[in-house]
């Protein structure tokens, strides 16, 4: 019988895509035992924006959340998303920090670490992959899926071979914008399977409406697994629905390993959770509508809404068409970076500035300059010579790994925190999100003092 692994994303990507990652632990604690029994291959529950959100909005220690989830998981693997050398933040960290963070993630209960680099520069995932393996975790290397004149099957297969060579246990095709069509998916999974041995997992979003069809073709091409979200947290910018995908695939002879009754109970559990977020305004039904713009402009839906918001803020929404024409030009001149965080924002802002100032590259963003200097890694294609010259002058772009130029952050951070850090995990939280972590530690200290003095009085 054909197998299909199901990864449930409600605790990470689905809630990140629909309710800005605002689900506190207490909202889902009571369903964890049931989820552990459902038969998922894995539960994606950590990494991505969850770490930042725990510290910034939910007053939760992200490491403690991980340990508490793990305590319920006797049968099911936990999975997280990691931005390679960026970890869970937006800039590169030293190798020492990356290794400590990955090791602590595994020690606190993480099983599968899905690791990607926004530019598909595999040097930027190598350290995290290596440490994950050494710590006993399952390292899943990602190809960020994008469409451009230089991103073809040959390039993707070559990336897949690099992922295999560096010792990853599996490979994920990460289609963050939901723009991979059923045919493209079938061809890509097939080409990868012809050239590498690793199991192939496919990750997409329902944003453009292609997701369900894409998963069907992924199955036909022999993908090992797909990512789905329990139905009330599925669709739109989230993943296709777990129950529906499993229903369809089961009839076609795929064994998904999950129990339909249990999936139903899990969804029933999350229904009132979702209602709560509808009532408090965090869940906006707009994110559920199918948006096909991304298929025309070849830019992710989230990026398009950012462009619209930027232009509205500048009172220049009438320039949208020009910005949409300029965006692919800027992207081409930058060597076709995949439009994923942070490159999607960088390209969008530069295109907007180019249009609004009436002269291209009159002002060049700080991050774009760092990118051209090579500090984000190697561009997939060639950066426009004139643009490179205007930024670099006589300077040579970096050819090695940027992280090698970065000093280790750990000892200094530890000394800075002093007693406020209770463990290595605290120091790592601080390195990842300094301001949010310090505020979290201060709140934690106050709570502790308050309960302590209460005991003395009582
Ligand atoms: Co995603």
């Amino acid at each position: 019988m054909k197998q299909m692994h199901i990864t449930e994303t409600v605790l990470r990507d689905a809630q990140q895509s629909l309710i800005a990652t605002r689900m506190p632990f207490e909202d889902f604690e009571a369903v964890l035992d049931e989820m552990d029994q459902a038969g998922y291959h894995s539960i994606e529950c950590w990494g991505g924006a969850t770490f930042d959100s725990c510290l910034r909005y939910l007053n939760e220690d992200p490491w403690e959340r991980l340990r508490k989830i793990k305590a319920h998981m006797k049968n099911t693997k936990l999975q997280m998303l990691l931005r390679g050398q960026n970890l869970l933040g937006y800039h590169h960290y030293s190798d020492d920090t990356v290794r400590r963070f990955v090791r602590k993630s595994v020690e606190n209960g993480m099983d599968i670490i899905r690791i990607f680099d926004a530019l598909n520069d595999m040097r930027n995932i190598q350290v995290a992959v290596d440490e994950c393996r050494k710590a006993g975790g399952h390292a899943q290397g990602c190809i960020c899926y994008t469409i451009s004149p230089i991103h073809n099957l040959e390039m993707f297969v070559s990336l897949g071979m690099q992922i295999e060579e560096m010792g990853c246990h599996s490979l994920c095709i990460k289609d963050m914008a939901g723009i991979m069509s059923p045919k493209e998916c079938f061809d890509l999974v097939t080409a990868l399977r012809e050239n590498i041995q690793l199991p192939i997992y496919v990750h997409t979003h329902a944003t453009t409406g292609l997701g369900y069809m894409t998963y069907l073709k992924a199955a036909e091409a022999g993908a090992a697994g797909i990512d789905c979200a329990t139905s009330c947290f599925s669709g739109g910018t989230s993943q296709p629905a777990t129950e529906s995908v499993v229903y369809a695939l089961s009839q076609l002879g795929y064994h998904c390993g999950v129990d339909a009754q249990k999936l139903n109970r899990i969804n029933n559990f999350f229904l009132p959770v979702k209602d709560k977020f509808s009532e408090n305004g965090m869940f906006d039904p707009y994110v559920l509508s199918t948006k096909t713009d991304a298929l025309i402009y070849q830019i992710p839906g989230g990026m398009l809404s950012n462009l619209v918001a930027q232009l509205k803020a500048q009172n220049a929404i009438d320039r949208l068409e020009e910005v949409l024409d300029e965006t692919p030009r800027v992207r081409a001149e930058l060597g076709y970076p995949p439009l994923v965080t942070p490159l999607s924002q960088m390209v969008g802002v530069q295109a907007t500035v180019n249009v609004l100032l009436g002269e291209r590259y009159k002002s060049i963003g700080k991050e774009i300059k760092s990118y051209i200097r090579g500090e984000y890694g190697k561009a997939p294609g060639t950066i426009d010579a004139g643009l490179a010259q205007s930024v670099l002058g006589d300077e040579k772009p970096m050819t090695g790994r940027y992280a090698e130029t970065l000093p280790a952050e750990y000892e200094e951070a530890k000394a800075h925190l002093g007693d406020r850090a209770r463990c290595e995990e605290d120091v790592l939280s601080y390195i990842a999100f300094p301001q949010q972590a310090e505020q979290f530690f201060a709140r934690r200290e106050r709570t502790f003092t308050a309960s302590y003095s209460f005991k003395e009085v009582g």
Side-chain angles (χ1 to χ4, degrees), residues 93-94 96-97 100 407-434 437-438 441:
Y93 297 97
S94 73
D96 174 65
T97 297
R100 285 174 185 272
E409 295 100 346
Y410 188 80
E411 292 305 330
E412 199 186 319
K414 190 179 168 199
H416 167 79
L417 289 172
D419 290 347
R420 289 179 296 161
R422 298 174 184 172
C423 52
E424 188 174 337
E425 285 84 343
D426 280 351
V427 181
L428 293 169
S429 296
Y430 171 78
I431 294 171
F433 296 100
E438 286 203 294
F441 298 149

Side-chain angles (χ1 to χ4, degrees), residues 283-327:
F283 171 72
D284 178 350
Y286 175 76
V287 297
L288 289 186
S289 60
T290 301
K291 295 181 194 67
T292 52
D293 289 348
L295 302 176
I296 298 163
Y297 300 115
Q298 310 265 291
I299 63 173
M303 182 175 167
L304 187 63
S305 48
N306 274 345
L307 289 177
V308 169
Q310 264 170 37
L311 287 170
K312 278 189 177 157
Q314 302 283 328
N315 237 336
I317 191 66
D318 55 318
R319 313 292 297 273
L320 180 63
E321 275 306 312
E322 289 168 79
V323 173
L324 288 174
D325 286 342
E326 176 67 2
T327 302

Side-chain angles (χ1 to χ4, degrees), residues 123-135:
R123 298 172 306 170
N124 290 337
I125 73 167
Q126 203 152 12
V127 173
V129 166
D130 183 60
E131 192 62 29
C132 177
R133 285 171 50 91
K134 285 179 179 156

Side-chain angles (χ1 to χ4, degrees), residues 324-340:
L324 288 174
D325 286 342
E326 176 67 2
T327 302
R329 273 202 291 274
V330 171
R331 185 179 177 221
E333 284 155 351
L334 292 174
Y336 298 105
L339 295 175
V340 59

Side-chain angles (χ1 to χ4, degrees), residues 6-47:
I6 303 293
T7 294
E8 171 60 51
T9 67
V10 62
L11 303 183
R12 207 287 297 175
D13 205 0
Q15 65 132 335
Q16 182 173 327
S17 303
L18 298 183
I19 56 165
T21 336
R22 295 299 208 281
M23 201 187 287
F25 177 75
E26 64 197 30
D27 276 11
F28 59 80
E29 181 179 14
V31 79
L32 289 173
D33 290 323
E34 182 92 56
M35 288 182 80
D36 183 44
Q37 295 294 324
Y40 304 121
H41 164 67
S42 62
I43 296 173
E44 194 196 36
C45 62
W46 211 63

Side-chain angles (χ1 to χ4, degrees), residues 143-399:
I143 295 173
C144 290
Y145 185 78
T146 190
I147 298 171
S148 87
I150 62 163
H151 286 88
N152 49 30
L153 282 181
E154 195 187 337
M155 181 194 261
F156 287 133
V157 166
S158 137
L159 292 170
M161 289 162 92
Q162 292 175 50
I163 286 171
E164 185 166 63
E165 274 159 29
M166 80 172 73
C168 288
H169 300 96
S170 61
L171 180 151
C172 170
I173 302 166
K174 179 177 161 59
D175 175 24
M176 50 279 164
I179 54 171
M180 181 166 54
S181 74
K183 180 186 188 305
E184 288 161 358
C185 178
F186 184 87
D187 292 348
L188 180 50
V189 173
T190 303
L192 286 169
R193 291 190 70 220
E194 281 166 3
N195 288 280
I196 63 173
Q197 307 299 316
L198 297 180
I200 314 283
Y201 289 80
V202 178
H203 173 87
T204 192
H205 288 253
T207 324
T208 63
L210 297 176
Y212 288 90
M213 297 179 277
T214 299
Y215 277 165
L216 185 57
K217 296 307 272 186
E220 286 177 18
I226 47 178
D227 290 2
C228 303
T230 192
S231 52
C232 68
F233 272 93
S234 74
T237 52
S238 176
Q239 271 73 50
T242 314
E243 299 95 306
S244 323
V245 169
V246 167
Y247 186 89
L249 289 180
S250 301
Q251 285 191 350
L252 291 167
Y254 293 88
H255 180 69
C256 301
V258 288
D259 179 322
Q261 295 301 324
K262 287 179 178 142
L263 293 186
N264 192 38
R265 285 205 293 273
I266 290 163
N267 192 58
N268 286 340
F269 176 90
F270 279 104
L271 279 168
V273 176
K274 184 184 171 187
D275 287 345
K276 186 187 88 175
F277 287 100
S278 298
E279 280 156 26
N280 72 16
M282 215 59 223
F283 171 72
D284 178 350
Y286 175 76
V287 297
L288 289 186
S289 60
T290 301
K291 295 181 194 67
T292 52
D293 289 348
L295 302 176
I296 298 163
Y297 300 115
Q298 310 265 291
I299 63 173
M303 182 175 167
L304 187 63
S305 48
N306 274 345
L307 289 177
V308 169
Q310 264 170 37
L311 287 170
K312 278 189 177 157
Q314 302 283 328
N315 237 336
I317 191 66
D318 55 318
R319 313 292 297 273
L320 180 63
E321 275 306 312
E322 289 168 79
V323 173
L324 288 174
D325 286 342
E326 176 67 2
T327 302
R329 273 202 291 274
V330 171
R331 185 179 177 221
E333 284 155 351
L334 292 174
Y336 298 105
L339 295 175
V340 59
T341 303
L343 267 302
S344 47
Q345 290 84 341
M346 286 156 56
V347 170
V349 167
Q350 190 62 53
T352 307
V353 167
N354 284 359
V355 167
L356 294 187
L357 292 186
E359 185 187 329
R360 307 191 70 229
Y361 300 109
K362 188 175 177 185
S363 165
I364 300 178
K366 183 168 127 277
E367 291 84 5
I368 294 279
K369 287 181 180 168
S370 307
Y371 170 83
I372 292 173
R373 281 197 294 267
E375 292 174 8
Y376 286 82
K378 192 179 177 314
T382 312
I383 295 175
D384 178 78
L387 178 59
Q389 168 66 27
S390 74
V391 168
L392 294 168
D394 297 333
E395 206 186 322
K396 288 246 180 307
M398 182 169 290
T399 49

